Amino acid sequence: MSKKLFRIYIAVSLDGFIARANGAVDWLGEYDPAEFGFDDFLDSVGTLIIGRNTFDQVMEFGDWPYEARRTIVLTSRELPKDRPANTEAYGGSIIELVDQLRDRRSADGDIWVVGGGSVVTQFLFGGFADQLDIFTIPEVLGSGISLFGRDAGGIKPRLLASERYNSGVVRSQYGLA
């Protein structure tokens, strides 16, 4: 069995924001995820790790798009009773969660660290993420939720690949291990 990767796969504005200050991602609406191979990426994923605010936001979009995958919501609050199947709350240690997921014997596929910003920061700067795919969107927001928090620093990702799409989006894939 191959090693399960903890992957950060995320869109960011040209000025480094993953969302507007209010959490809105409406600026991503005109970009088609199919252009960037999102379906192939999702096919490689067995488990999602998502922050509570991001989980709540995705729930507002309508039907839960990740029903077939295990979803772990990092939260200290109880999840709604009508939450999607395969969704669980986790309020424990990130280190213990990572150890549990790496040791799991089933062939779940990779683990997608979905976001938001604080979740990405914990995994990236805690040394738990293996790969970082950043899709730089040619939009300048001016302010918002930054991909990397103020205390971010000290990692040196290795560029594995880059690609430019017809829409002007640039994908930069980095190895972190």
Side-chain angles (χ1 to χ4, degrees), residues 68-98:
R69 289 164 184 80
R70 179 181 185 198
T71 300
I72 301 168
V73 182
L74 301 183
T75 185
S76 58
R77 296 180 284 146
E78 191 172 314
L79 294 177
K81 300 276 188 245
D82 63 343
R83 69 179 175 266
N86 301 321
T87 302
E88 62 195 82
Y90 183 84
S93 159
I94 296 294
I95 295 169
E96 289 176 15
L97 177 61
V98 169

Side-chain angles (χ1 to χ4, degrees), residues 25-45:
V25 292
D26 57 313
W27 54 279
L28 293 172
E30 72 180 76
Y31 300 93
D32 181 4
E35 179 186 5
F36 317 121
F38 181 73
D39 291 337
D40 290 338
F41 164 74
L42 199 55
D43 286 345
S44 73
V45 171

Side-chain angles (χ1 to χ4, degrees), residues 126-142:
F128 306 121
D130 301 300
Q131 187 172 307
L132 172 62
D133 287 90
I134 297 177
F135 292 82
T136 305
I137 309 297
E139 303 266 346
V140 176
L141 300 181

Side-chain angles (χ1 to χ4, degrees), residues 6-20:
F6 282 78
R7 298 178 64 183
I8 298 168
Y9 185 99
I10 198 161
V12 64
S13 67
L14 194 57
D15 51 348
F17 299 107
I18 59 173
R20 296 188 191 281

